[in-house]
Amino acid sequence: MVEQPRGDGGHGDGRGHGGGPGGGGWSWDDPAGALALTAEVLRTPRPRLMAKISEVIAGIVPHLALAQLSGICTHSPASVTGPEELSARITGAELARLREEVTPGRPWQGEAVLGGRPHPAVAVAAAPAGSNGALLVLVRAAGGPHGGGDGAGAAPVPERALRVLQQLWELLTAHSHHRAVDAAPTHAAASRASASARARTIAELGGAHASALSAILAPLRSAALDDATARRNATELAVTALLDLRGAAALDRELSEEPAATAFSRLADVVRPLLRHSPIRLDLLPPAEEDRTVPADTAHTAREAVRSTVLAMLEQDGLSRLHVRWQFIGNGLRAIVRDDGPGLLTADALTVHRTADRISALAGRLTLDAVPGWGTTVTVDLPLHAPQACPGAASHSLDGLHPRELEVLDQLARGRRNREIAAALHISESTVKFHVANILAKLDVTSRGEAAALARHAGLPTPPPTPLHAAS
């Protein structure tokens, strides 16, 4: 994305247009236009999301490249869009250092090292409750919109434009967080396997690079070399590279895992508001081993399971106390929710939120023990190790499909016709045809058979959900 002149749709004061194709002539200064531009972004499939964000905000904050560092998307935490010569050099470690300077809810602008050299930049951060938060960085050209001049920093972005950018990022981050929490079971399993594969790859690359750099350091430190200055400079560069590698490994762990204490604290932030105006007593007992880490998808699933269970329990009469506890059992996480209600809660009460499906996707187990007159206990056991990715699994992403489209695709993978799909999903045949057309376009295929083949490679159709186990 090349910075636009201020006279060509880029006012730089919050009154700019979307910029480029897809902006539709809408203006951020008009409420209807702002909503239309935001809707454009929300409708964009994930693989093209960064490019769309760059497009719609180019008019109010001209920039060279756009980067994000997300603790919400565990399988792709860092992404950059822009000219290859710049975007290919921007690293996750650089974004992580900048993240330390940015406070969620307060736009930041200044100079940051991105792509190995200083650049004027604008950054905004958002942290929805129960998430690791996300950072958006706009890399600007020095010396004005065209990047010319004497190399001085870019003119400051007006406060109004910064407020628009911050609010847009708050909304997009909240939307991404909700999608992560409410992800279809197949997406949760794929995300978990992908995060594990990425961590292994980074660890292997880090080990190889560390060995190479260590081998370089040995001769450079040798007394046999006469050029002390060259040896000292080369040693410093190599040491810096080693530190960056260690920082990258630490960053990957931070983005793909959560400390147990932090994960449970986020759970508390989600559950407490549910009982804010209720006389029911809430007991929260965090895991004893607070220094252990939990994979991000496991933490998401455990929090959602507890939340949906609490909501189901609150529908009962005669409730006075709720007890929520997390504990580590071997190589797994156990979440327990117990009430002192009538003890009549059934497994069906938990199917509304697809709780069993999410737990099943991570090879977990949910047990419900209801004792009339004494109360109900729901126990969720989730493994801490990631499931293995399916051999030969297709790399074609289904992330761009909406939940209803995924349901239709699931039916296609079962070989069902439009009439059968309509009956199964309780929608009309014309609606099914509409969804099928969208699916073919988004997956860039020309037939239902091709779409079904991609679906099967991605793990569809989903197996029947693991039944809830009622304790005897």
Side-chain angles (χ1 to χ4, degrees):
M1 175 64 65
V2 178
E3 292 211 359
Q4 300 179 3
R6 292 184 184 269
D8 184 19
H11 300 287
D13 59 357
R15 296 182 290 110
H17 299 284
W26 293 108
S27 168
W28 286 104
D29 195 45
D30 172 33
L35 289 174
L37 290 168
T38 302
E40 276 191 33
V41 177
L42 293 176
R43 286 195 298 263
T44 302
R46 185 172 295 171
R48 298 196 295 272
L49 182 60
M50 289 291 287
K52 173 57 70 173
I53 296 174
S54 179
E55 175 187 319
V56 301
I57 65 175
I60 58 171
V61 185
H63 54 279
L64 294 172
L66 189 77
Q68 76 156 343
L69 183 66
S70 172
I72 297 172
C73 180
T74 58
H75 63 278
S76 182
S79 56
V80 185
T81 185
E84 180 71 18
E85 61 271 17
L86 174 59
S87 61
R89 298 200 314 268
I90 296 177
T91 67
E94 291 174 334
L95 296 175
R97 285 193 288 269
L98 180 56
R99 185 178 60 174
E100 299 299 321
E101 304 293 327
V102 184
T103 302
R106 298 177 60 183
W108 176 97
Q109 57 180 321
E111 190 174 79
V113 175
L114 297 164
R117 55 178 291 227
H119 283 278
V122 171
V124 290
S131 77
N132 286 330
L135 174 76
L136 181 71
V137 180
L138 285 74
V139 186
R140 308 182 66 208
H146 300 287
D150 58 4
V157 176
E159 183 65 26
R160 184 175 183 177
L162 291 176
R163 289 199 302 268
V164 171
L165 182 63
Q166 179 69 54
Q167 293 306 312
L168 176 65
W169 189 238
E170 295 275 359
L171 191 152
L172 296 178
T173 304
H175 177 69
S176 296
H177 176 55
H178 292 155
R179 285 189 63 183
V181 171
D182 296 329
T186 51
H187 282 195
S191 175
R192 179 78 177 277
S194 177
S196 178
R198 189 193 74 247
R200 287 196 300 271
T201 300
I202 288 179
E204 292 168 0
L205 288 174
H209 291 166
S211 297
L213 290 170
S214 296
I216 293 172
L217 283 173
L220 290 176
R221 288 171 173 164
S222 172
L225 297 176
D226 297 330
D227 192 344
T229 301
R231 184 166 64 248
R232 182 174 61 254
N233 291 341
T235 300
E236 290 174 355
L237 288 172
V239 169
T240 300
L242 279 171
L243 292 175
D244 284 344
L245 281 172
R246 293 171 184 169
L251 172 64
D252 179 72
R253 180 169 182 173
E254 176 186 349
L255 294 176
S256 61
E257 299 180 349
E258 297 182 28
T262 301
F264 192 83
S265 175
R266 288 172 177 155
L267 168 66
D269 291 340
V270 170
V271 174
R272 284 196 181 102
L274 302 179
L275 287 83
R276 182 170 296 159
H277 303 291
S278 169
I280 299 173
R281 174 179 171 181
L282 175 64
D283 297 327
L284 295 170
L285 186 60
E289 302 171 68
E290 295 186 347
D291 57 335
R292 290 189 64 171
T293 57
V294 181
D297 286 319
T298 298
H300 278 312
T301 301
R303 283 193 291 265
E304 178 58 20
V306 170
R307 185 187 71 87
S308 58
T309 299
V310 169
L311 286 173
M313 288 179 169
L314 290 176
E315 294 294 322
Q316 305 173 104
D317 294 325
L319 206 66
S320 64
R321 187 173 182 177
L322 278 173
H323 175 89
V324 177
R325 179 181 183 182
W326 277 13
Q327 59 185 138
F328 290 104
I329 304 295
N331 195 32
L333 175 68
R334 173 171 292 176
I336 302 171
V337 186
R338 182 182 300 117
D339 70 25
D340 63 352
L344 302 177
L345 196 68
T346 64
D348 291 340
L350 300 178
T351 61
V352 177
H353 302 279
R354 301 173 68 190
T355 304
D357 290 354
R358 294 191 180 95
I359 294 168
S360 176
L362 297 185
R365 174 187 175 95
L366 188 151
T367 303
L368 185 147
D369 181 12
V371 181
W374 289 91
T376 302
T377 300
V378 173
T379 304
V380 177
D381 288 294
L382 294 168
L384 295 178
H385 62 275
Q388 295 297 313
C390 299
S395 60
H396 202 295
S397 174
L398 304 183
D399 284 350
L401 301 183
H402 295 305
R404 177 62 83 179
E405 291 168 344
L406 284 169
E407 292 175 351
V408 172
L409 182 60
D410 184 272
Q411 296 291 316
L412 288 178
R414 299 173 192 272
R416 292 177 177 168
R417 299 179 180 274
N418 287 352
R419 182 176 299 177
E420 295 171 314
I421 296 174
L425 301 181
H426 306 290
I427 56 179
S428 67
E429 282 192 63
S430 60
T431 302
V432 173
K433 292 178 182 178
F434 172 78
H435 286 313
V436 170
N438 284 341
I439 290 169
L440 298 183
K442 290 182 178 181
L443 296 183
D444 195 23
V445 296
T446 58
S447 70
R448 297 161 64 101
E450 288 181 81
L454 285 174
R456 284 190 285 271
H457 279 298
L460 295 177
T462 56
T466 301
L468 301 179
H469 300 273
S472 58

